[in-house]
Amino acid sequence: MTYLTDGCVLHLKSGSVTITRSACNALVCEPGLRTVGSRARASTLLLLLTGYLVSIWAYAARWRALLSIAGIRWRTWDLWRITTLAQVGGVVLPGGIGGDALRIVRAVDAGVPGPIATATIVLDRLIGLATLCGLAFVLWRFMGGGGGYSPFVL
């Protein structure tokens, strides 16, 4: 932004625009990361982080239960660590399935047969999908779903 005696010039991608002094003085920056961070409550952030870590623990416990069906015993703590790494991998690696690949590789490295490791991950995903669909349906009905509209009718 360039200031003039009677206004200012905004340098935009579409070209420079000159506006009046009063319009220039009324301009404010949008809140950035620093602004948002300064307004955040530490207790709320801690609660959200705790909820996230507990959900990963539940995710690891579900995978442990699936592995135990196949006769494989593994500590939940170790699975939690692998699942946490897989969460990061799912964000960083392309396709969103990189985390699943990391879990399979870690399980195979620990001695779990490849087909069993893959099957437990696929079954874990299917259980998660069924849970999500069931929760969405319950919330839809709880929030007054129906009312002449049905998502199940095309």
Side-chain angles (χ1 to χ4, degrees):
M1 179 170 14
T2 305
Y3 291 97
L4 305 172
T5 56
D6 58 341
C8 58
V9 178
L10 303 176
H11 303 285
L12 306 173
K13 288 183 181 180
S14 59
S16 296
V17 176
T18 303
I19 60 174
T20 64
R21 177 177 291 259
S22 60
C24 185
N25 291 336
L27 293 175
V28 294
C29 293
E30 294 181 11
L33 184 59
R34 183 182 306 163
T35 306
V36 171
S38 68
R39 295 178 184 167
R41 293 185 186 140
S43 59
T44 302
L45 291 177
L46 184 62
L47 180 67
L48 291 172
L49 178 63
T50 302
Y52 180 70
L53 294 176
V54 167
S55 70
I56 294 176
W57 185 268
Y59 192 37
R62 184 174 68 198
W63 187 28
R64 181 177 184 264
L66 292 171
L67 286 168
S68 69
I69 292 171
I72 297 166
R73 304 283 178 242
W74 215 339
R75 294 183 331 176
T76 306
W77 174 255
D78 293 332
L79 293 175
W80 180 81
R81 189 174 43 80
I82 292 169
T83 303
T84 303
L85 291 172
Q87 291 283 321
V88 173
V91 172
V92 174
L93 297 174
I97 60 169
D100 292 338
L102 284 173
R103 288 199 299 163
I104 291 170
V105 167
R106 297 293 289 217
V108 170
D109 286 347
V112 176
I116 291 176
T118 304
T120 59
I121 300 299
V122 170
L123 189 55
D124 187 43
R125 281 291 189 153
L126 290 174
I127 290 170
L129 178 62
T131 303
L132 181 65
C133 289
L135 180 62
F137 180 76
V138 167
L139 289 174
W140 174 71
R141 293 301 295 169
F142 178 73
M143 298 173 97
Y149 168 76
S150 174
F152 303 109
V153 177
L154 298 176

